[in-house]
Amino acid sequence: MEQKLKELAQEALSKVASAQDLKELNDIRVSYLGKKGPITEVLRGMGKLSAEERPKIGALANQVRAEIAEQIEKKQKQLEEAAIEKQLKEEAIDVTLPGRPVKNGNAHPLTKIIEEIEDLFISMGYQVAEGQEVETDYYNFEALNLPKDHPARDMQDSFYITEEILLRTHTSPIQARTMEKHKGKGPVKIICPGKVYRRDNDDATHSHQFTQIEGLVVDENIRMSDLKGTLEVFAKRFFGEDREIRLRPSFFPFTEPSVEMDISCKICHGKGCSVCKGTGWIEILGAGMVHPNVLEMAGFDSKKYTGFAFGMGPERIAMLKYGIDDIRHFYTNDIRFLKQFSIHES
Ligand code: PHE
């Protein structure tokens, strides 16, 4: 029995010594020291031994067991350290390598213009409202006083999806939708940015998809002078305090009276040059007093409430502000063009 224990000890210790990983080591622990292991078995069989042999073998068995346990513990530490060492080596980084330069992105020039215009109007108490690019014929035209057979619909050749659904041709449907939500109660004071679509052939000044910003104010006692004052504040804050505005009569079915606003040319200050085509003025936006029909269709009492609305194209405004000569630059994503509007450079 003594011999057997010694052999077992040797066998176990050599297995421990050659164990490759923690799992293998644990298997060894279980098989030699576990309840069903050979040492436990020896201890169990001690009853059959003579009184003389018993303490000797008992002591030896305990010694063998302690020795194996100790070696397993040692080996476990070694294996754990080796694992950490290996991981450190694998994950080592060379801190002397030069870094990869991170390219700074910047907001698209149109996004910047739209946000600047939004901020300006937010500072005057407006709220931002958004609509949907796929719009119904009702909100895009009918609710804006453009019935189905209205000739003004020819002005806006549209992308129809079905007879009743189209890609919106302007941001004005947001006016109608927002007024409806107010259920006939003012004030309404919103600024509405968004993409719009028209069946134009793309060239330097036309794009089949572009952006607009719409403004709408509805309340009691809103007058044309409020519109004029608001547009003047916008023009001066946005283009410079030295700029003048003028309103020319125009026509939109959803406003009456309707106007177009020009600002004085910043190059020649009204004398006439090539930028303003000799007129001294540059057209900026369309506007007017909300047509009573539009108010009524959206549930407002047009005897009590009046309002004004205006709509402008951020592309045109960006082109004037930054001296850009082709609308297509906004959409072709040439990084050399876009980079010029980085906040770090402007
Ligand atoms: N929706 C008009 C357009 O697209 C612009 C506009 C908006 C005019 C609001 C008057 C009032 O041309």
PDB file of all heavy atoms in Angstrom, residues 156 169-170 172 175 198 212 214 252 254-255 286-288 309-311, ligand 1:
ATOM      1  N   GLN A 156     -45.919  75.155 -60.392  1.00  0.00           N
ATOM      2  CA  GLN A 156     -45.133  74.211 -59.617  1.00  0.00           C
ATOM      3  C   GLN A 156     -45.308  72.810 -60.172  1.00  0.00           C
ATOM      4  O   GLN A 156     -46.146  72.049 -59.708  1.00  0.00           O
ATOM      5  CB  GLN A 156     -45.564  74.255 -58.156  1.00  0.00           C
ATOM      6  CG  GLN A 156     -45.290  75.609 -57.556  1.00  0.00           C
ATOM      7  CD  GLN A 156     -45.820  75.723 -56.154  1.00  0.00           C
ATOM      8  OE1 GLN A 156     -46.658  74.949 -55.739  1.00  0.00           O
ATOM      9  NE2 GLN A 156     -45.320  76.687 -55.433  1.00  0.00           N
ATOM     10  N   THR A 169     -44.063  70.537 -52.813  1.00  0.00           N
ATOM     11  CA  THR A 169     -43.380  71.459 -53.713  1.00  0.00           C
ATOM     12  C   THR A 169     -42.918  72.708 -52.976  1.00  0.00           C
ATOM     13  O   THR A 169     -42.222  73.543 -53.528  1.00  0.00           O
ATOM     14  CB  THR A 169     -44.316  71.898 -54.849  1.00  0.00           C
ATOM     15  OG1 THR A 169     -45.466  72.519 -54.252  1.00  0.00           O
ATOM     16  CG2 THR A 169     -44.758  70.710 -55.674  1.00  0.00           C
ATOM     17  N   HIS A 170     -43.364  72.855 -51.728  1.00  0.00           N
ATOM     18  CA  HIS A 170     -42.939  73.979 -50.885  1.00  0.00           C
ATOM     19  C   HIS A 170     -43.178  73.605 -49.424  1.00  0.00           C
ATOM     20  O   HIS A 170     -43.773  72.560 -49.131  1.00  0.00           O
ATOM     21  CB  HIS A 170     -43.658  75.283 -51.278  1.00  0.00           C
ATOM     22  CG  HIS A 170     -45.153  75.182 -51.380  1.00  0.00           C
ATOM     23  ND1 HIS A 170     -45.958  76.236 -51.708  1.00  0.00           N
ATOM     24  CD2 HIS A 170     -46.006  74.136 -51.174  1.00  0.00           C
ATOM     25  CE1 HIS A 170     -47.222  75.856 -51.718  1.00  0.00           C
ATOM     26  NE2 HIS A 170     -47.268  74.583 -51.397  1.00  0.00           N
ATOM     27  N   SER A 172     -44.999  75.349 -47.473  1.00  0.00           N
ATOM     28  CA  SER A 172     -46.264  75.949 -47.026  1.00  0.00           C
ATOM     29  C   SER A 172     -47.279  74.950 -46.440  1.00  0.00           C
ATOM     30  O   SER A 172     -48.070  75.346 -45.581  1.00  0.00           O
ATOM     31  CB  SER A 172     -46.893  76.757 -48.163  1.00  0.00           C
ATOM     32  OG  SER A 172     -45.980  77.741 -48.615  1.00  0.00           O
ATOM     33  N   GLN A 175     -47.704  75.176 -42.818  1.00  0.00           N
ATOM     34  CA  GLN A 175     -48.595  76.236 -42.320  1.00  0.00           C
ATOM     35  C   GLN A 175     -49.969  75.663 -42.023  1.00  0.00           C
ATOM     36  O   GLN A 175     -50.504  75.813 -40.930  1.00  0.00           O
ATOM     37  CB  GLN A 175     -48.833  77.294 -43.403  1.00  0.00           C
ATOM     38  CG  GLN A 175     -47.746  78.277 -43.670  1.00  0.00           C
ATOM     39  CD  GLN A 175     -48.275  79.362 -44.624  1.00  0.00           C
ATOM     40  OE1 GLN A 175     -49.455  79.712 -44.589  1.00  0.00           O
ATOM     41  NE2 GLN A 175     -47.398  79.888 -45.457  1.00  0.00           N
ATOM     42  N   ARG A 198     -39.341  69.825 -56.979  1.00  0.00           N
ATOM     43  CA  ARG A 198     -40.062  70.294 -58.161  1.00  0.00           C
ATOM     44  C   ARG A 198     -39.437  69.694 -59.412  1.00  0.00           C
ATOM     45  O   ARG A 198     -38.224  69.433 -59.436  1.00  0.00           O
ATOM     46  CB  ARG A 198     -40.002  71.825 -58.267  1.00  0.00           C
ATOM     47  CG  ARG A 198     -40.815  72.474 -57.180  1.00  0.00           C
ATOM     48  CD  ARG A 198     -40.880  73.965 -57.333  1.00  0.00           C
ATOM     49  NE  ARG A 198     -41.314  74.542 -56.068  1.00  0.00           N
ATOM     50  CZ  ARG A 198     -41.391  75.834 -55.816  1.00  0.00           C
ATOM     51  NH1 ARG A 198     -41.078  76.704 -56.766  1.00  0.00           N
ATOM     52  NH2 ARG A 198     -41.788  76.270 -54.646  1.00  0.00           N
ATOM     53  N   GLN A 212     -36.369  74.909 -48.256  1.00  0.00           N
ATOM     54  CA  GLN A 212     -37.084  76.172 -47.999  1.00  0.00           C
ATOM     55  C   GLN A 212     -37.203  76.381 -46.494  1.00  0.00           C
ATOM     56  O   GLN A 212     -37.131  75.429 -45.718  1.00  0.00           O
ATOM     57  CB  GLN A 212     -38.510  76.119 -48.573  1.00  0.00           C
ATOM     58  CG  GLN A 212     -38.578  76.344 -50.065  1.00  0.00           C
ATOM     59  CD  GLN A 212     -40.002  76.592 -50.548  1.00  0.00           C
ATOM     60  OE1 GLN A 212     -40.970  76.185 -49.915  1.00  0.00           O
ATOM     61  NE2 GLN A 212     -40.126  77.253 -51.684  1.00  0.00           N
ATOM     62  N   GLU A 214     -39.986  78.435 -44.099  1.00  0.00           N
ATOM     63  CA  GLU A 214     -41.265  79.119 -44.116  1.00  0.00           C
ATOM     64  C   GLU A 214     -41.483  79.766 -42.757  1.00  0.00           C
ATOM     65  O   GLU A 214     -41.085  79.196 -41.746  1.00  0.00           O
ATOM     66  CB  GLU A 214     -42.313  78.008 -44.307  1.00  0.00           C
ATOM     67  CG  GLU A 214     -43.693  78.478 -44.474  1.00  0.00           C
ATOM     68  CD  GLU A 214     -44.051  78.467 -45.951  1.00  0.00           C
ATOM     69  OE1 GLU A 214     -43.222  78.049 -46.783  1.00  0.00           O
ATOM     70  OE2 GLU A 214     -45.163  78.893 -46.257  1.00  0.00           O
ATOM     71  N   PHE A 252     -49.281  85.155 -54.678  1.00  0.00           N
ATOM     72  CA  PHE A 252     -49.325  83.757 -54.234  1.00  0.00           C
ATOM     73  C   PHE A 252     -50.777  83.488 -53.855  1.00  0.00           C
ATOM     74  O   PHE A 252     -51.410  84.350 -53.239  1.00  0.00           O
ATOM     75  CB  PHE A 252     -48.432  83.526 -52.996  1.00  0.00           C
ATOM     76  CG  PHE A 252     -46.988  83.831 -53.238  1.00  0.00           C
ATOM     77  CD1 PHE A 252     -46.433  85.023 -52.780  1.00  0.00           C
ATOM     78  CD2 PHE A 252     -46.171  82.937 -53.927  1.00  0.00           C
ATOM     79  CE1 PHE A 252     -45.100  85.321 -53.002  1.00  0.00           C
ATOM     80  CE2 PHE A 252     -44.839  83.237 -54.156  1.00  0.00           C
ATOM     81  CZ  PHE A 252     -44.296  84.426 -53.693  1.00  0.00           C
ATOM     82  N   PHE A 254     -52.055  81.767 -51.632  1.00  0.00           N
ATOM     83  CA  PHE A 254     -52.336  81.617 -50.195  1.00  0.00           C
ATOM     84  C   PHE A 254     -52.078  82.880 -49.397  1.00  0.00           C
ATOM     85  O   PHE A 254     -52.253  82.886 -48.181  1.00  0.00           O
ATOM     86  CB  PHE A 254     -51.533  80.440 -49.614  1.00  0.00           C
ATOM     87  CG  PHE A 254     -50.203  80.227 -50.285  1.00  0.00           C
ATOM     88  CD1 PHE A 254     -49.060  80.840 -49.785  1.00  0.00           C
ATOM     89  CD2 PHE A 254     -50.098  79.429 -51.418  1.00  0.00           C
ATOM     90  CE1 PHE A 254     -47.843  80.650 -50.416  1.00  0.00           C
ATOM     91  CE2 PHE A 254     -48.882  79.251 -52.045  1.00  0.00           C
ATOM     92  CZ  PHE A 254     -47.746  79.857 -51.561  1.00  0.00           C
ATOM     93  N   THR A 255     -51.616  83.955 -50.059  1.00  0.00           N
ATOM     94  CA  THR A 255     -51.459  85.231 -49.346  1.00  0.00           C
ATOM     95  C   THR A 255     -52.120  86.347 -50.149  1.00  0.00           C
ATOM     96  O   THR A 255     -52.152  86.312 -51.373  1.00  0.00           O
ATOM     97  CB  THR A 255     -49.962  85.581 -49.136  1.00  0.00           C
ATOM     98  OG1 THR A 255     -49.264  85.406 -50.366  1.00  0.00           O
ATOM     99  CG2 THR A 255     -49.332  84.719 -48.063  1.00  0.00           C
ATOM    100  N   GLY A 286     -40.492  85.353 -50.854  1.00  0.00           N
ATOM    101  CA  GLY A 286     -41.899  85.674 -51.106  1.00  0.00           C
ATOM    102  C   GLY A 286     -42.637  85.736 -49.782  1.00  0.00           C
ATOM    103  O   GLY A 286     -42.280  85.041 -48.836  1.00  0.00           O
ATOM    104  N   ALA A 287     -43.660  86.589 -49.707  1.00  0.00           N
ATOM    105  CA  ALA A 287     -44.364  86.742 -48.439  1.00  0.00           C
ATOM    106  C   ALA A 287     -45.742  87.342 -48.680  1.00  0.00           C
ATOM    107  O   ALA A 287     -46.111  87.643 -49.830  1.00  0.00           O
ATOM    108  CB  ALA A 287     -43.565  87.645 -47.501  1.00  0.00           C
ATOM    109  N   GLY A 288     -46.495  87.517 -47.605  1.00  0.00           N
ATOM    110  CA  GLY A 288     -47.794  88.164 -47.735  1.00  0.00           C
ATOM    111  C   GLY A 288     -48.645  87.945 -46.504  1.00  0.00           C
ATOM    112  O   GLY A 288     -48.230  87.296 -45.545  1.00  0.00           O
ATOM    113  N   ALA A 309     -47.143  85.416 -43.660  1.00  0.00           N
ATOM    114  CA  ALA A 309     -46.304  84.248 -43.931  1.00  0.00           C
ATOM    115  C   ALA A 309     -45.208  84.672 -44.889  1.00  0.00           C
ATOM    116  O   ALA A 309     -45.367  85.635 -45.642  1.00  0.00           O
ATOM    117  CB  ALA A 309     -47.130  83.126 -44.552  1.00  0.00           C
ATOM    118  N   PHE A 310     -44.101  83.963 -44.805  1.00  0.00           N
ATOM    119  CA  PHE A 310     -43.026  84.230 -45.774  1.00  0.00           C
ATOM    120  C   PHE A 310     -42.304  82.919 -46.047  1.00  0.00           C
ATOM    121  O   PHE A 310     -42.365  81.980 -45.249  1.00  0.00           O
ATOM    122  CB  PHE A 310     -42.050  85.298 -45.246  1.00  0.00           C
ATOM    123  CG  PHE A 310     -41.455  84.969 -43.903  1.00  0.00           C
ATOM    124  CD1 PHE A 310     -40.324  84.184 -43.787  1.00  0.00           C
ATOM    125  CD2 PHE A 310     -42.058  85.453 -42.739  1.00  0.00           C
ATOM    126  CE1 PHE A 310     -39.792  83.888 -42.539  1.00  0.00           C
ATOM    127  CE2 PHE A 310     -41.527  85.156 -41.484  1.00  0.00           C
ATOM    128  CZ  PHE A 310     -40.390  84.373 -41.380  1.00  0.00           C
ATOM    129  N   GLY A 311     -41.673  82.832 -47.225  1.00  0.00           N
ATOM    130  CA  GLY A 311     -40.960  81.611 -47.575  1.00  0.00           C
ATOM    131  C   GLY A 311     -39.698  81.962 -48.334  1.00  0.00           C
ATOM    132  O   GLY A 311     -39.715  82.839 -49.195  1.00  0.00           O
TER     133      GLY A 311
HETATM  134  N1  PHE B   1     -44.523  78.835 -50.903  1.00  0.00           N
HETATM  135  C1  PHE B   1     -44.036  79.934 -51.711  1.00  0.00           C
HETATM  136  C2  PHE B   1     -43.078  79.368 -52.767  1.00  0.00           C
HETATM  137  O1  PHE B   1     -42.718  78.246 -52.678  1.00  0.00           O
HETATM  138  C3  PHE B   1     -43.303  80.942 -50.890  1.00  0.00           C
HETATM  139  C4  PHE B   1     -44.207  81.675 -49.942  1.00  0.00           C
HETATM  140  C5  PHE B   1     -44.382  81.219 -48.651  1.00  0.00           C
HETATM  141  C6  PHE B   1     -44.868  82.818 -50.336  1.00  0.00           C
HETATM  142  C7  PHE B   1     -45.193  81.888 -47.780  1.00  0.00           C
HETATM  143  C8  PHE B   1     -45.684  83.491 -49.477  1.00  0.00           C
HETATM  144  C9  PHE B   1     -45.846  83.046 -48.199  1.00  0.00           C
HETATM  145  O2  PHE B   1     -42.718  80.034 -53.685  1.00  0.00           O
END
